[in-house]
Each structure stands twice: as structure tokens, then as C-alpha cells.
Amino acid sequence: MFSLAEENYLKAIFHLQQESKGGVSTNAIAEKMSTKPSSVTDMVQKLAEKKLLSYQKYKGTSLTSKGSKIAAGVIRKHRLWEVFLVDKLKFHWDEVHEIAEQLEHIQSDELVARLDRFLGEPDFDPHGDPIPDKNGNIKTTEKKLLSELDKKQRGVCVGVKETKSEFLQYLDKRNITIGTKIRVLGKEFFDGSMIIQVGRDQFFISKKIADNLYIQTS
Amino acid sequence: MFSLAEENYLKAIFHLQQESKGGVSTNAIAEKMSTKPSSVTDMVQKLAEKKLLSYQKYKGTSLTSKGSKIAAGVIRKHRLWEVFLVDKLKFHWDEVHEIAEQLEHIQSDELVARLDRFLGEPDFDPHGDPIPDKNGNIKTTEKKLLSELDKKQRGVCVGVKETKSEFLQYLDKRNITIGTKIRVLGKEFFDGSMIIQVGRDQFFISKKIADNLYIQTS
DNA sequence: AAATATATTTAGACTTGGCTAAAAATAGTA
DNA sequence: TACTATTTTTAGCCAAGTCTAAATATATTT
Ligand SMILES: [Mn+2]
Ligand SMILES: [Mn+2]
Ligand SMILES: [Mn+2]
Ligand SMILES: [Mn+2]
């Protein structure tokens, strides 16, 4: 129905829309897609003609509900495949993203439905991100960044913002994964660094780490 | 490494090569790929430059060992995914081909290796076709078409030549699948039609049916 | 062997999705 | 407000892969 390029644009715009409420700028899209702003303008005009997003010259774009639905469908596939790769094929959670980038474009509603059932209709992917349902609705859970917690607060790790291998491997070394309980023992206000407790271990983390861990506080 | 179009050409030529020993003609490729001969000429020249096949103007082409290896790799992926779809997702054997046509282009050696292990390192796909090993070698088994059998001969169905839904659904209706024992009760030499026995049933089949069923005798 | 038919290649064009360089609009600053 | 910097768009070009129409080579008949 839609080309690989079109799906990738819709997905990128969808994600950018979540982060910063309001219209998405041409440059932001170009940045996210590692492409040039001029290429973005071309594609955005094409997608606007197809009513997948609304666009006004120089004003940025935002997805129509039709565009959002398609984007959510691609994200649904991406995350379901990631679950498959980790749960069934025993990939490590830092190895699956690139493969899912390819698998998310496989076109077959029946396949998605059966995959979902095969995996036990999971709600979250291996990185803690919610899996949109077949209608494109995403369950948003109240979660905050670890860096927003104060001294003595505690919570459960429910997701990662960054999914680069180096970060995920760091978390493994520290025995932090989805579901891990974390308590803030100390917080330095000058640089935002923290001392946290994970299981029996206590250690120092930088603000950059704390900025990339999602926590649910009871 | 290679584009989707390139992989599909290599696969088509590989299959054509098996059927008719000798060079593969431009028109045959165009036919199989549902494209125009002029498009085939373009691509074949490009693949020849990349040393994936040998080509002489007006003389047809044949894959180099490098080209064969790549084609076998794509076919390996196609057939492994078909096994996944049927064994794990419970698709029917007549529903999987189109989806496998997409999945066969996913690029990740690690994925193929893990999928293979997950599926129990199968030797055949749901249609009885052999799955090439990681080096591109295909185990060829001695099999003949049902239409080649004579009256009173018997054997086991080990594959189908045609994989269109209508044909596979016909076989289902007749309770014929991979592993089914078939005995030829009668054969009409005028049109090649047969009376065969399958389980307790005896029925008439046309030559066209008999031409698309692979049988292993002895 | 010449004529005809078929197969194949070439030439030129089109679409998709990129890019660079230049122009135009908007935002920021003095 | 006027100048400057940044963002965005336009214009023109390119590569991959496809097509149609025309040219050329090979195969088949007479
Ligand atoms: Mn991912
Ligand atoms: Mn993920
Ligand atoms: Mn198939
Ligand atoms: Mn098959």
C-alpha cells in the first residue's frame, strides 16, 4: 500500500510528534532520518497530497489520523517482531532493532495477527515500549525519567529511552533490566549524578544514564 | 549487499536453470518475473558486470558460482520462513508463499541461523522443497512426477511442483499432502489421466494434476 | 538461399527517492 | 527597524529499475 520510504517518514514524524507537542519541523525530520531537508520537503509534500499529514509551507507538519494510524501500524509490527526476536529466537535486547527495522515493513495483516497471538499478545516490547493495538491505539503509562526522581524515592525500571547497544550493555553490567527495582540513595544537584541501589549493589551513575531510564513509581 | 530486484533476478534465474539445463533465455526470465525482455537485458548486463552470472549477447545467461550461492541463500530464507509460518504460526500451506516472498529479503545471517535452530533445522519446506544449507548446497532427492508412474506403481507424495492456492486446496480436498501414499490403479494413455488410490478413496485425476505432484517410489 | 517470424538488444522516456546549490522566508539581534 | 543567521523551499541533477518503440540478430519456413 505504501512504500518503504513513505512508511519510514510516517514513523519518524509520529515519533517526533510524541516528543515535542506541536508541528514537526522539516529539519527535525531530516535529522532523525539522516537525510537532507530538501528531500524531506519533497516527501512531505507528497504525503500531504495523500492526506497522510497536513502541511503548510514553512510551518511544519503533523500527521492526520490516517497517517497516525499507518505509523502506529508500522510501530506495532516493529515491536512485535522485537518480542519475537528476543523471546523466541533468544536474541539479546541490544541486537534486535536493526532487524526489526526491516521486518516492520512486511505487509500482511494476517501475519501480524498470528504473530501477536503466537507471542501471547504482549503489551510491551523488550525495551519497555508499549505495543500499539490493531487499531493503532497506544496505552500510555505514567512513567518518569530516573533523573526526575529525588533522593530516597524508588521505583521500577519500565523502559529505556536510548536503545543503543553500548547503553543496553552498560545496563546489563549493572543488572538493570525491565522490571528492576531502583532506589535513589543520593543526588548531586550540581551535575545531576546519583548514587542508586539496585538489588544489593550501590553505585554512582551520571545524569546521562538517569536521563535514559524510565521509572514507574508505585 | 544486493538489492531486492537483484536478488529476485538471481532467484528466478536459479530456478530456471534447474528446470532446463543450459543457458537461460532473456524471454524465459521476463516471463517468470512478469516483466519485459528489455528490462531483463538491462539487469542481466548489470549482474554480469558484478560477476554474478555469465552473459553473452543473444546467447542467454547462467549463474556463476557466486551468483548461485546468493540465489540459494535467498531460497534458503524463503523456505525457512515458510516452515516458520506453517509450523509456528499455523498458516495453511497455501497461504505462505507471498509472505515468504517478502521475508526472504530480510538481511541478517544471525537471524537465519537462529531461525533455522528455532525450527529444528528442517530439511524441507511445507511444499516438500529442500532447504539449501548455509553454504548453498541443496540435497537433491530422487523423485519423479506422479504422471511418470505406470499402472500398479505406488509411492509417497514428497512435494508439489505447483504451489498455487487452487491446486493446494484441491489436494486438501483429496486428502493429499506431503507424506501421503498414492497408488496408480489405472492410466489412460490417450490423455495421461489416472485413477489413483489415496487411503481408502479411489478417484480420477487429470494429467495436469499428475504433472504437479512429486512422488518417491520404492 | 531468400523471406518471414521470433528473440533480443538498444534508445529514449518515466517514476521514485535521493543530492547540491541557490533562492526565499522566517527568526533573531543590534 | 534593519541587518544577519537560520530554516525551508525550489531548481536542477542523478541512479535504479521499469516501460515502449524501433533496430538488429537469430531461427524457421518456403
Ligand atoms: Mn527498535
Ligand atoms: Mn523497541
Ligand atoms: Mn514459496
Ligand atoms: Mn515452498
PDB file of all heavy atoms in Angstrom, chain A residues 15-47:
ATOM      1  N   HIS A  15       7.005   9.636  15.790  1.00  0.00           N
ATOM      2  CA  HIS A  15       7.860   9.679  16.980  1.00  0.00           C
ATOM      3  C   HIS A  15       8.208  11.110  17.381  1.00  0.00           C
ATOM      4  O   HIS A  15       8.191  11.455  18.564  1.00  0.00           O
ATOM      5  CB  HIS A  15       9.140   8.865  16.737  1.00  0.00           C
ATOM      6  CG  HIS A  15       8.951   7.388  16.890  1.00  0.00           C
ATOM      7  ND1 HIS A  15       9.465   6.476  15.991  1.00  0.00           N
ATOM      8  CD2 HIS A  15       8.295   6.661  17.818  1.00  0.00           C
ATOM      9  CE1 HIS A  15       9.129   5.248  16.386  1.00  0.00           C
ATOM     10  NE2 HIS A  15       8.415   5.338  17.476  1.00  0.00           N
ATOM     11  N   LEU A  16       8.526  11.938  16.393  1.00  0.00           N
ATOM     12  CA  LEU A  16       8.865  13.331  16.695  1.00  0.00           C
ATOM     13  C   LEU A  16       7.674  14.064  17.304  1.00  0.00           C
ATOM     14  O   LEU A  16       7.834  14.930  18.156  1.00  0.00           O
ATOM     15  CB  LEU A  16       9.319  14.051  15.419  1.00  0.00           C
ATOM     16  CG  LEU A  16      10.692  13.617  14.904  1.00  0.00           C
ATOM     17  CD1 LEU A  16      10.939  14.154  13.512  1.00  0.00           C
ATOM     18  CD2 LEU A  16      11.784  14.090  15.853  1.00  0.00           C
ATOM     19  N   GLN A  17       6.486  13.707  16.842  1.00  0.00           N
ATOM     20  CA  GLN A  17       5.274  14.345  17.346  1.00  0.00           C
ATOM     21  C   GLN A  17       5.064  14.053  18.824  1.00  0.00           C
ATOM     22  O   GLN A  17       4.610  14.896  19.580  1.00  0.00           O
ATOM     23  CB  GLN A  17       4.079  13.814  16.541  1.00  0.00           C
ATOM     24  CG  GLN A  17       3.094  14.878  16.138  1.00  0.00           C
ATOM     25  CD  GLN A  17       2.215  14.406  14.993  1.00  0.00           C
ATOM     26  OE1 GLN A  17       1.995  15.118  14.039  1.00  0.00           O
ATOM     27  NE2 GLN A  17       1.702  13.194  15.091  1.00  0.00           N
ATOM     28  N   GLN A  18       5.398  12.809  19.218  1.00  0.00           N
ATOM     29  CA  GLN A  18       5.239  12.422  20.622  1.00  0.00           C
ATOM     30  C   GLN A  18       6.153  13.255  21.517  1.00  0.00           C
ATOM     31  O   GLN A  18       5.741  13.741  22.554  1.00  0.00           O
ATOM     32  CB  GLN A  18       5.632  10.944  20.818  1.00  0.00           C
ATOM     33  CG  GLN A  18       5.004  10.017  19.810  1.00  0.00           C
ATOM     34  CD  GLN A  18       3.989   9.105  20.435  1.00  0.00           C
ATOM     35  OE1 GLN A  18       4.304   7.983  20.786  1.00  0.00           O
ATOM     36  NE2 GLN A  18       2.777   9.595  20.607  1.00  0.00           N
ATOM     37  N   GLU A  19       7.407  13.366  21.052  1.00  0.00           N
ATOM     38  CA  GLU A  19       8.405  14.063  21.861  1.00  0.00           C
ATOM     39  C   GLU A  19       8.043  15.531  22.066  1.00  0.00           C
ATOM     40  O   GLU A  19       7.925  16.003  23.190  1.00  0.00           O
ATOM     41  CB  GLU A  19       9.789  13.945  21.199  1.00  0.00           C
ATOM     42  CG  GLU A  19      10.370  12.542  21.304  1.00  0.00           C
ATOM     43  CD  GLU A  19      11.522  12.328  20.324  1.00  0.00           C
ATOM     44  OE1 GLU A  19      12.187  13.321  19.959  1.00  0.00           O
ATOM     45  OE2 GLU A  19      11.755  11.162  19.927  1.00  0.00           O
ATOM     46  N   SER A  20       7.876  16.245  20.970  1.00  0.00           N
ATOM     47  CA  SER A  20       7.615  17.682  21.084  1.00  0.00           C
ATOM     48  C   SER A  20       6.226  18.000  20.543  1.00  0.00           C
ATOM     49  O   SER A  20       6.020  18.008  19.338  1.00  0.00           O
ATOM     50  CB  SER A  20       8.662  18.444  20.283  1.00  0.00           C
ATOM     51  OG  SER A  20       8.609  18.040  18.935  1.00  0.00           O
ATOM     52  N   LYS A  21       5.302  18.231  21.420  1.00  0.00           N
ATOM     53  CA  LYS A  21       3.936  18.583  21.007  1.00  0.00           C
ATOM     54  C   LYS A  21       3.988  19.781  20.055  1.00  0.00           C
ATOM     55  O   LYS A  21       4.778  20.690  20.234  1.00  0.00           O
ATOM     56  CB  LYS A  21       3.082  18.927  22.235  1.00  0.00           C
ATOM     57  CG  LYS A  21       3.267  17.965  23.425  1.00  0.00           C
ATOM     58  CD  LYS A  21       2.843  16.533  23.092  1.00  0.00           C
ATOM     59  CE  LYS A  21       3.128  15.579  24.250  1.00  0.00           C
ATOM     60  NZ  LYS A  21       3.050  14.174  23.851  1.00  0.00           N
ATOM     61  N   GLY A  22       3.129  19.739  19.065  1.00  0.00           N
ATOM     62  CA  GLY A  22       3.126  20.800  18.061  1.00  0.00           C
ATOM     63  C   GLY A  22       3.615  20.270  16.735  1.00  0.00           C
ATOM     64  O   GLY A  22       3.947  19.087  16.615  1.00  0.00           O
ATOM     65  N   GLY A  23       3.649  21.117  15.722  1.00  0.00           N
ATOM     66  CA  GLY A  23       4.075  20.702  14.395  1.00  0.00           C
ATOM     67  C   GLY A  23       5.522  20.249  14.392  1.00  0.00           C
ATOM     68  O   GLY A  23       6.320  20.686  15.206  1.00  0.00           O
ATOM     69  N   VAL A  24       5.834  19.359  13.468  1.00  0.00           N
ATOM     70  CA  VAL A  24       7.193  18.841  13.360  1.00  0.00           C
ATOM     71  C   VAL A  24       7.913  19.576  12.238  1.00  0.00           C
ATOM     72  O   VAL A  24       7.384  19.723  11.142  1.00  0.00           O
ATOM     73  CB  VAL A  24       7.158  17.335  13.063  1.00  0.00           C
ATOM     74  CG1 VAL A  24       8.555  16.795  12.899  1.00  0.00           C
ATOM     75  CG2 VAL A  24       6.415  16.590  14.165  1.00  0.00           C
ATOM     76  N   SER A  25       9.117  20.036  12.514  1.00  0.00           N
ATOM     77  CA  SER A  25       9.850  20.829  11.526  1.00  0.00           C
ATOM     78  C   SER A  25      10.570  19.959  10.503  1.00  0.00           C
ATOM     79  O   SER A  25      10.924  18.804  10.781  1.00  0.00           O
ATOM     80  CB  SER A  25      10.870  21.723  12.224  1.00  0.00           C
ATOM     81  OG  SER A  25      11.993  20.966  12.604  1.00  0.00           O
ATOM     82  N   THR A  26      10.760  20.530   9.337  1.00  0.00           N
ATOM     83  CA  THR A  26      11.475  19.855   8.258  1.00  0.00           C
ATOM     84  C   THR A  26      12.864  19.406   8.706  1.00  0.00           C
ATOM     85  O   THR A  26      13.261  18.265   8.458  1.00  0.00           O
ATOM     86  CB  THR A  26      11.596  20.815   7.064  1.00  0.00           C
ATOM     87  OG1 THR A  26      10.276  21.181   6.651  1.00  0.00           O
ATOM     88  CG2 THR A  26      12.323  20.160   5.907  1.00  0.00           C
ATOM     89  N   ASN A  27      13.557  20.311   9.391  1.00  0.00           N
ATOM     90  CA  ASN A  27      14.912  19.962   9.833  1.00  0.00           C
ATOM     91  C   ASN A  27      14.928  18.818  10.834  1.00  0.00           C
ATOM     92  O   ASN A  27      15.822  17.970  10.802  1.00  0.00           O
ATOM     93  CB  ASN A  27      15.575  21.186  10.465  1.00  0.00           C
ATOM     94  CG  ASN A  27      16.381  21.949   9.440  1.00  0.00           C
ATOM     95  OD1 ASN A  27      16.250  21.719   8.241  1.00  0.00           O
ATOM     96  ND2 ASN A  27      17.197  22.876   9.905  1.00  0.00           N
ATOM     97  N   ALA A  28      13.949  18.797  11.719  1.00  0.00           N
ATOM     98  CA  ALA A  28      13.894  17.726  12.711  1.00  0.00           C
ATOM     99  C   ALA A  28      13.719  16.378  12.019  1.00  0.00           C
ATOM    100  O   ALA A  28      14.356  15.384  12.398  1.00  0.00           O
ATOM    101  CB  ALA A  28      12.745  17.974  13.687  1.00  0.00           C
ATOM    102  N   ILE A  29      12.874  16.351  11.001  1.00  0.00           N
ATOM    103  CA  ILE A  29      12.661  15.104  10.263  1.00  0.00           C
ATOM    104  C   ILE A  29      13.947  14.692   9.551  1.00  0.00           C
ATOM    105  O   ILE A  29      14.361  13.538   9.609  1.00  0.00           O
ATOM    106  CB  ILE A  29      11.508  15.260   9.245  1.00  0.00           C
ATOM    107  CG1 ILE A  29      10.204  15.606   9.970  1.00  0.00           C
ATOM    108  CG2 ILE A  29      11.340  13.986   8.435  1.00  0.00           C
ATOM    109  CD1 ILE A  29       9.085  16.053   9.047  1.00  0.00           C
ATOM    110  N   ALA A  30      14.581  15.679   8.919  1.00  0.00           N
ATOM    111  CA  ALA A  30      15.824  15.391   8.188  1.00  0.00           C
ATOM    112  C   ALA A  30      16.872  14.820   9.136  1.00  0.00           C
ATOM    113  O   ALA A  30      17.543  13.829   8.821  1.00  0.00           O
ATOM    114  CB  ALA A  30      16.340  16.660   7.515  1.00  0.00           C
ATOM    115  N   GLU A  31      16.972  15.424  10.301  1.00  0.00           N
ATOM    116  CA  GLU A  31      17.905  14.965  11.329  1.00  0.00           C
ATOM    117  C   GLU A  31      17.626  13.511  11.695  1.00  0.00           C
ATOM    118  O   GLU A  31      18.490  12.644  11.610  1.00  0.00           O
ATOM    119  CB  GLU A  31      17.740  15.868  12.556  1.00  0.00           C
ATOM    120  CG  GLU A  31      18.413  15.367  13.822  1.00  0.00           C
ATOM    121  CD  GLU A  31      19.898  15.674  13.865  1.00  0.00           C
ATOM    122  OE1 GLU A  31      20.382  16.389  12.942  1.00  0.00           O
ATOM    123  OE2 GLU A  31      20.566  15.196  14.779  1.00  0.00           O
ATOM    124  N   LYS A  32      16.385  13.238  12.051  1.00  0.00           N
ATOM    125  CA  LYS A  32      16.006  11.888  12.505  1.00  0.00           C
ATOM    126  C   LYS A  32      16.225  10.840  11.424  1.00  0.00           C
ATOM    127  O   LYS A  32      16.563   9.699  11.718  1.00  0.00           O
ATOM    128  CB  LYS A  32      14.541  11.881  12.950  1.00  0.00           C
ATOM    129  CG  LYS A  32      14.025  10.501  13.339  1.00  0.00           C
ATOM    130  CD  LYS A  32      13.027  10.538  14.484  1.00  0.00           C
ATOM    131  CE  LYS A  32      13.572   9.872  15.727  1.00  0.00           C
ATOM    132  NZ  LYS A  32      12.785  10.069  16.930  1.00  0.00           N
ATOM    133  N   MET A  33      15.984  11.220  10.166  1.00  0.00           N
ATOM    134  CA  MET A  33      16.084  10.241   9.083  1.00  0.00           C
ATOM    135  C   MET A  33      17.465  10.218   8.438  1.00  0.00           C
ATOM    136  O   MET A  33      17.678   9.505   7.456  1.00  0.00           O
ATOM    137  CB  MET A  33      15.043  10.536   8.003  1.00  0.00           C
ATOM    138  CG  MET A  33      13.672  10.806   8.564  1.00  0.00           C
ATOM    139  SD  MET A  33      12.374   9.687   8.060  1.00  0.00           S
ATOM    140  CE  MET A  33      13.000   8.837   6.679  1.00  0.00           C
ATOM    141  N   SER A  34      18.391  11.012   8.956  1.00  0.00           N
ATOM    142  CA  SER A  34      19.719  11.113   8.336  1.00  0.00           C
ATOM    143  C   SER A  34      19.597  11.389   6.844  1.00  0.00           C
ATOM    144  O   SER A  34      20.163  10.682   6.016  1.00  0.00           O
ATOM    145  CB  SER A  34      20.520   9.835   8.552  1.00  0.00           C
ATOM    146  OG  SER A  34      20.576   9.504   9.908  1.00  0.00           O
ATOM    147  N   THR A  35      18.846  12.435   6.531  1.00  0.00           N
ATOM    148  CA  THR A  35      18.679  12.818   5.134  1.00  0.00           C
ATOM    149  C   THR A  35      18.735  14.339   5.058  1.00  0.00           C
ATOM    150  O   THR A  35      19.003  14.988   6.059  1.00  0.00           O
ATOM    151  CB  THR A  35      17.354  12.250   4.579  1.00  0.00           C
ATOM    152  OG1 THR A  35      17.244  12.552   3.216  1.00  0.00           O
ATOM    153  CG2 THR A  35      16.162  12.834   5.309  1.00  0.00           C
ATOM    154  N   LYS A  36      18.498  14.907   3.883  1.00  0.00           N
ATOM    155  CA  LYS A  36      18.597  16.349   3.713  1.00  0.00           C
ATOM    156  C   LYS A  36      17.222  17.005   3.795  1.00  0.00           C
ATOM    157  O   LYS A  36      16.230  16.416   3.349  1.00  0.00           O
ATOM    158  CB  LYS A  36      19.219  16.669   2.352  1.00  0.00           C
ATOM    159  CG  LYS A  36      20.596  16.074   2.156  1.00  0.00           C
ATOM    160  CD  LYS A  36      21.608  16.723   3.077  1.00  0.00           C
ATOM    161  CE  LYS A  36      22.884  15.900   3.123  1.00  0.00           C
ATOM    162  NZ  LYS A  36      23.890  16.473   4.023  1.00  0.00           N
ATOM    163  N   PRO A  37      17.180  18.220   4.322  1.00  0.00           N
ATOM    164  CA  PRO A  37      15.900  18.927   4.414  1.00  0.00           C
ATOM    165  C   PRO A  37      15.175  19.018   3.063  1.00  0.00           C
ATOM    166  O   PRO A  37      13.947  18.912   3.028  1.00  0.00           O
ATOM    167  CB  PRO A  37      16.313  20.324   4.889  1.00  0.00           C
ATOM    168  CG  PRO A  37      17.564  20.107   5.642  1.00  0.00           C
ATOM    169  CD  PRO A  37      18.272  18.982   4.948  1.00  0.00           C
ATOM    170  N   SER A  38      15.901  19.174   1.993  1.00  0.00           N
ATOM    171  CA  SER A  38      15.240  19.277   0.688  1.00  0.00           C
ATOM    172  C   SER A  38      14.513  17.986   0.326  1.00  0.00           C
ATOM    173  O   SER A  38      13.421  18.018  -0.247  1.00  0.00           O
ATOM    174  CB  SER A  38      16.253  19.637  -0.400  1.00  0.00           C
ATOM    175  OG  SER A  38      17.319  18.719  -0.412  1.00  0.00           O
ATOM    176  N   SER A  39      15.110  16.870   0.687  1.00  0.00           N
ATOM    177  CA  SER A  39      14.451  15.583   0.444  1.00  0.00           C
ATOM    178  C   SER A  39      13.179  15.476   1.281  1.00  0.00           C
ATOM    179  O   SER A  39      12.157  14.963   0.826  1.00  0.00           O
ATOM    180  CB  SER A  39      15.392  14.428   0.791  1.00  0.00           C
ATOM    181  OG  SER A  39      16.592  14.528   0.070  1.00  0.00           O
ATOM    182  N   VAL A  40      13.272  15.977   2.495  1.00  0.00           N
ATOM    183  CA  VAL A  40      12.105  15.933   3.386  1.00  0.00           C
ATOM    184  C   VAL A  40      10.969  16.759   2.799  1.00  0.00           C
ATOM    185  O   VAL A  40       9.818  16.314   2.768  1.00  0.00           O
ATOM    186  CB  VAL A  40      12.470  16.450   4.794  1.00  0.00           C
ATOM    187  CG1 VAL A  40      11.225  16.564   5.659  1.00  0.00           C
ATOM    188  CG2 VAL A  40      13.490  15.514   5.445  1.00  0.00           C
ATOM    189  N   THR A  41      11.287  17.941   2.340  1.00  0.00           N
ATOM    190  CA  THR A  41      10.244  18.794   1.752  1.00  0.00           C
ATOM    191  C   THR A  41       9.521  18.049   0.634  1.00  0.00           C
ATOM    192  O   THR A  41       8.286  18.026   0.577  1.00  0.00           O
ATOM    193  CB  THR A  41      10.855  20.092   1.198  1.00  0.00           C
ATOM    194  OG1 THR A  41      11.489  20.787   2.262  1.00  0.00           O
ATOM    195  CG2 THR A  41       9.784  20.981   0.605  1.00  0.00           C
ATOM    196  N   ASP A  42      10.287  17.434  -0.246  1.00  0.00           N
ATOM    197  CA  ASP A  42       9.671  16.666  -1.340  1.00  0.00           C
ATOM    198  C   ASP A  42       8.697  15.627  -0.809  1.00  0.00           C
ATOM    199  O   ASP A  42       7.541  15.555  -1.222  1.00  0.00           O
ATOM    200  CB  ASP A  42      10.747  15.926  -2.152  1.00  0.00           C
ATOM    201  CG  ASP A  42      11.494  16.857  -3.095  1.00  0.00           C
ATOM    202  OD1 ASP A  42      11.042  18.002  -3.276  1.00  0.00           O
ATOM    203  OD2 ASP A  42      12.517  16.434  -3.646  1.00  0.00           O
ATOM    204  N   MET A  43       9.171  14.818   0.117  1.00  0.00           N
ATOM    205  CA  MET A  43       8.350  13.708   0.593  1.00  0.00           C
ATOM    206  C   MET A  43       7.138  14.214   1.371  1.00  0.00           C
ATOM    207  O   MET A  43       6.034  13.682   1.237  1.00  0.00           O
ATOM    208  CB  MET A  43       9.186  12.782   1.470  1.00  0.00           C
ATOM    209  CG  MET A  43       8.420  11.583   2.007  1.00  0.00           C
ATOM    210  SD  MET A  43       7.684  10.529   0.736  1.00  0.00           S
ATOM    211  CE  MET A  43       9.002   9.327   0.486  1.00  0.00           C
ATOM    212  N   VAL A  44       7.352  15.240   2.156  1.00  0.00           N
ATOM    213  CA  VAL A  44       6.260  15.773   2.967  1.00  0.00           C
ATOM    214  C   VAL A  44       5.142  16.328   2.070  1.00  0.00           C
ATOM    215  O   VAL A  44       3.955  16.157   2.355  1.00  0.00           O
ATOM    216  CB  VAL A  44       6.835  16.845   3.923  1.00  0.00           C
ATOM    217  CG1 VAL A  44       5.823  17.927   4.194  1.00  0.00           C
ATOM    218  CG2 VAL A  44       7.291  16.190   5.219  1.00  0.00           C
ATOM    219  N   GLN A  45       5.530  16.925   0.970  1.00  0.00           N
ATOM    220  CA  GLN A  45       4.517  17.432   0.038  1.00  0.00           C
ATOM    221  C   GLN A  45       3.746  16.281  -0.594  1.00  0.00           C
ATOM    222  O   GLN A  45       2.534  16.355  -0.803  1.00  0.00           O
ATOM    223  CB  GLN A  45       5.190  18.304  -1.033  1.00  0.00           C
ATOM    224  CG  GLN A  45       5.667  19.625  -0.468  1.00  0.00           C
ATOM    225  CD  GLN A  45       6.461  20.466  -1.442  1.00  0.00           C
ATOM    226  OE1 GLN A  45       6.899  19.972  -2.488  1.00  0.00           O
ATOM    227  NE2 GLN A  45       6.659  21.729  -1.101  1.00  0.00           N
ATOM    228  N   LYS A  46       4.483  15.204  -0.870  1.00  0.00           N
ATOM    229  CA  LYS A  46       3.825  14.034  -1.453  1.00  0.00           C
ATOM    230  C   LYS A  46       2.852  13.401  -0.455  1.00  0.00           C
ATOM    231  O   LYS A  46       1.723  13.043  -0.806  1.00  0.00           O
ATOM    232  CB  LYS A  46       4.910  13.025  -1.843  1.00  0.00           C
ATOM    233  CG  LYS A  46       4.405  11.834  -2.613  1.00  0.00           C
ATOM    234  CD  LYS A  46       5.576  10.965  -3.049  1.00  0.00           C
ATOM    235  CE  LYS A  46       5.297   9.497  -2.885  1.00  0.00           C
ATOM    236  NZ  LYS A  46       6.530   8.671  -2.971  1.00  0.00           N
ATOM    237  N   LEU A  47       3.280  13.294   0.792  1.00  0.00           N
ATOM    238  CA  LEU A  47       2.419  12.688   1.819  1.00  0.00           C
ATOM    239  C   LEU A  47       1.219  13.577   2.123  1.00  0.00           C
ATOM    240  O   LEU A  47       0.144  13.084   2.467  1.00  0.00           O
ATOM    241  CB  LEU A  47       3.232  12.425   3.094  1.00  0.00           C
ATOM    242  CG  LEU A  47       4.329  11.356   2.969  1.00  0.00           C
ATOM    243  CD1 LEU A  47       5.159  11.267   4.236  1.00  0.00           C
ATOM    244  CD2 LEU A  47       3.733   9.989   2.628  1.00  0.00           C
TER     245      LEU A  47
END
